Amino acid sequence: MTLPHDKGAERALVGLALTTSGVSYDRVSDRIDAASFFDPECSRMWSAIARIRAAGDEVNEFVVAHALTGILDESIVLGFTNTIHPSGDDQRYARIVAELHQRRKLIAACTQASAVASDTSRPHSVVTQEAEKLIYESLRSVRTREPWKPLPELVETVKTQNAYTAAERGRIVGIKMGIEDLDWHLKGFRPGELIVIGGRTSDGKSSLALTCARNEAIRGVRSAYFSCEISGEDMTQRLLAAEGVTIADQESFDFYQADHSRNRIMAAYEAVKRLPIEVVYQPKITFPQIRTWCRRFLTTGPLGLIVIDYLALLGSTEKTDRRDREIAGFTAACLELAAEFGVPVIAIQSLNRRSAGDGKLLRPEMSHLMVSSAIQSDAHRILLLHNPNQSADGNAADTGEREVIIAKNRRGKRYTTVKVRLLGPRFLFVGDGEPLAPSYGREDHDDVF
């Protein structure tokens, strides 16, 4: 079987690198390396071009021919410049070469996975894990963040960010919660950061994370939301509720009878359809599976945010009799996920039993988080949700009043409390005193529980 390749695209890409003094190479070198080529001649020439550019020299056919003396004939190198292509075509050729290289890697991984699956002497769970790992490794290079960048490039990136922030007097760089007071203190979630949202049951942890994903989706930022307890259909109902049509109305026959209310819910359906939020519902999902899903999403476009709901319900690929060690491993895996994909990761976690003493609910602290020592060490930001009106017996009415305690903040002041409101029927957080978001629903459903 001949593996998929496009010799014409490979030769054209190398030819453009030769005829543009290496400019085309510089534009695509973050995606293409010597291993990306099926044609060995193209692979050797690309490797030579890489060495020349690394030395800071310009590239042309004669320099490359000299570098390949004794490896390739000069006539072969010169032959790559016979057909001149527009310089703008380098991106198109690079995409073709990269995609076909990825297909070849996937074919090789599937062949290996097939051999692993055929071994009936091994446990099913081990076979599944190894096959999944092979597929994951074959996709490792698809639009993931490079772990290393030269310091001058890092300086230029930070210089640009700082210039924007200074010029716009505190512009938020990164992912925003969409709550003005909270964003002012947090200054935006940056790529590679781990943000942990902690709180008690029904305090609104998932709603706060979903509020962030929704507000960013409205701005065009794509999110991947991994849920271990809320199904995709239930999540969609919450997003519709955020548009102003409560779940009660969504399931109400009477609501559909009136033209004005039916038009509102149809408009809400269309609004939610446009939100770039990828919802994955899988109880006990593992981090290799999360990575696989993220790589699948990356094949159709970039990701800006990953949400994991929540840590205590994740599955583990390692056998251990201590759940606290598993969860500690999850926080480290979240950091790896954030670094690899170059996005902030929001992870949700519950509070432990120490958050309640003598029949009273204590004000949340970092030490109240399950496996708090690992979270305190690994997280860049820790946000603790608190319902100041909640009683130990749970009989107090929920007015929607909440406090977000910024317990850890590597980019600003910590131990700061920001007052917010949870619009219960809409599963939506807003700032204390901020106006309600536009609604398609009835006005009487804007009230909170």
Side-chain angles (χ1 to χ4, degrees):
M1 180 185 72
T2 302
L3 295 174
H5 67 282
D6 189 329
K7 188 173 182 179
E10 292 186 0
R11 292 181 65 86
L13 186 59
V14 174
L16 281 169
L18 294 173
T19 57
T20 59
S21 301
V23 173
S24 288
Y25 168 84
D26 295 339
R27 281 202 289 254
V28 303
S29 59
D30 61 331
R31 289 176 290 159
I32 303 295
D33 58 21
S36 303
F37 296 91
F38 182 79
D39 186 342
E41 292 179 354
C42 292
S43 180
R44 292 188 183 100
M45 292 183 63
W46 198 261
S47 181
I49 293 171
R51 292 195 300 271
I52 294 168
R53 294 303 286 165
D57 298 329
E58 288 192 3
V59 170
N60 59 54
E61 59 268 37
F62 302 106
V63 174
V64 173
H66 177 73
L68 293 174
T69 300
I71 301 175
L72 287 180
D73 291 338
E74 183 176 349
S75 59
I76 294 177
V77 178
L78 298 179
F80 276 77
T81 61
N82 289 339
T83 304
I84 305 300
H85 300 268
S87 60
D89 283 351
D90 49 21
Q91 299 289 348
R92 179 167 64 90
Y93 291 131
R95 177 180 57 80
I96 294 172
V97 171
E99 289 180 355
L100 291 176
H101 176 230
Q102 192 61 53
R103 289 182 181 232
R104 295 194 297 273
K105 290 176 64 178
L106 191 56
I107 289 172
C110 288
T111 302
Q112 291 177 280
S114 177
V116 170
S118 300
D119 188 354
T120 57
S121 65
R122 308 178 71 186
H124 175 73
S125 59
V126 175
V127 168
T128 302
Q129 183 178 339
E130 287 198 16
E132 187 178 66
K133 183 178 180 181
L134 287 167
I135 301 298
Y136 159 67
E137 290 296 335
S138 74
L139 299 172
R140 192 171 182 82
S141 62
V142 179
R143 293 192 185 183
T144 55
R145 192 187 192 197
E146 289 295 330
W148 171 83
K149 284 184 179 180
L151 189 57
E153 185 176 340
L154 292 173
V155 170
E156 288 302 317
T157 300
V158 173
K159 177 181 175 182
T160 302
Q161 290 179 350
N162 291 344
Y164 281 142
T165 303
E168 300 191 21
R169 299 181 181 181
R171 173 179 178 268
I172 303 298
V173 177
I175 298 297
K176 298 190 290 186
M177 295 295 296
I179 301 172
E180 186 175 347
D181 286 348
L182 198 55
D183 287 328
W184 189 86
H185 288 286
L186 296 172
K187 307 301 182 185
F189 303 144
R190 308 296 177 88
E193 289 188 343
L194 170 60
I195 302 94
V196 174
I197 297 177
R200 298 183 178 90
T201 302
S202 300
D203 274 358
K205 304 183 296 296
S206 298
S207 294
L208 183 59
L210 189 61
T211 295
C212 178
R214 175 184 178 269
N215 289 336
E216 285 299 293
I218 293 173
R219 295 175 54 209
V221 177
R222 190 175 180 215
S223 303
Y225 196 112
F226 295 93
S227 173
C228 295
E229 62 174 352
I230 304 173
S231 70
E233 290 77 11
D234 289 343
M235 192 72 70
T236 302
Q237 285 191 310
R238 292 189 176 197
L239 288 170
L240 290 167
E243 297 295 336
V245 184
T246 67
I247 293 179
D249 280 344
Q250 294 172 38
E251 300 175 343
S252 169
F253 176 80
D254 293 336
F255 189 77
Y256 283 84
Q257 299 309 299
D259 290 339
H260 70 281
S261 58
R262 183 170 60 252
N263 291 338
R264 287 170 182 167
I265 194 170
M266 292 304 171
Y269 287 145
E270 294 303 315
V272 172
K273 280 182 181 179
R274 294 192 295 268
L275 295 177
I277 301 177
E278 311 292 349
V279 180
V280 178
Y281 166 62
Q282 184 175 339
K284 295 294 182 181
I285 191 171
T286 64
F287 272 96
Q289 291 170 330
I290 290 174
R291 283 193 175 92
T292 299
W293 276 109
C294 288
R295 293 178 183 284
R296 181 183 297 183
F297 296 143
L298 286 176
T299 61
T300 57
L303 281 176
L305 174 67
I306 296 173
V307 179
I308 298 175
D309 187 4
Y310 61 95
L311 291 177
L313 294 181
L314 291 173
S316 176
T317 57
E318 299 181 3
K319 294 183 178 180
T320 176
D321 57 351
R322 292 187 56 178
R323 186 59 175 167
D324 59 336
R325 290 182 179 177
E326 285 185 348
I327 297 178
F330 294 159
T331 61
C334 284
L335 283 176
E336 293 176 3
L337 200 68
E340 180 179 347
F341 291 96
V343 300
V345 172
I346 295 178
I348 297 173
Q349 181 64 311
S350 297
L351 302 186
N352 57 32
R353 295 179 180 178
R354 287 180 294 172
S355 64
D358 298 328
K360 298 180 180 179
L361 296 178
L362 305 178
R363 186 176 175 82
E365 300 177 0
M366 283 194 289
S367 60
H368 294 156
L369 288 165
M370 292 178 62
V371 197
S372 61
S373 59
I375 293 176
Q376 290 181 53
S377 173
D378 293 341
H380 295 79
R381 326 284 185 96
I382 297 178
L383 310 180
L384 301 176
L385 264 176
H386 177 49
N387 180 359
N389 300 317
Q390 188 175 10
S391 61
D393 57 15
N395 292 326
D398 189 351
T399 63
E401 182 182 354
R402 296 290 188 274
E403 294 176 350
V404 178
I405 304 165
I406 305 175
K408 183 177 182 181
N409 185 14
R410 290 187 180 177
R411 285 189 173 271
K413 188 178 179 181
R414 58 177 182 164
Y415 300 121
T416 302
T417 299
V418 178
K419 292 185 177 181
V420 296
R421 284 186 298 153
L422 171 61
L423 309 182
R426 296 179 62 177
F427 300 94
L428 188 67
F429 273 90
V430 296
D432 188 44
E434 291 183 12
L436 301 181
S439 168
Y440 292 111
R442 298 199 305 249
E443 292 183 358
D444 57 341
H445 283 154
D446 286 337
D447 297 334
V448 295
F449 288 140

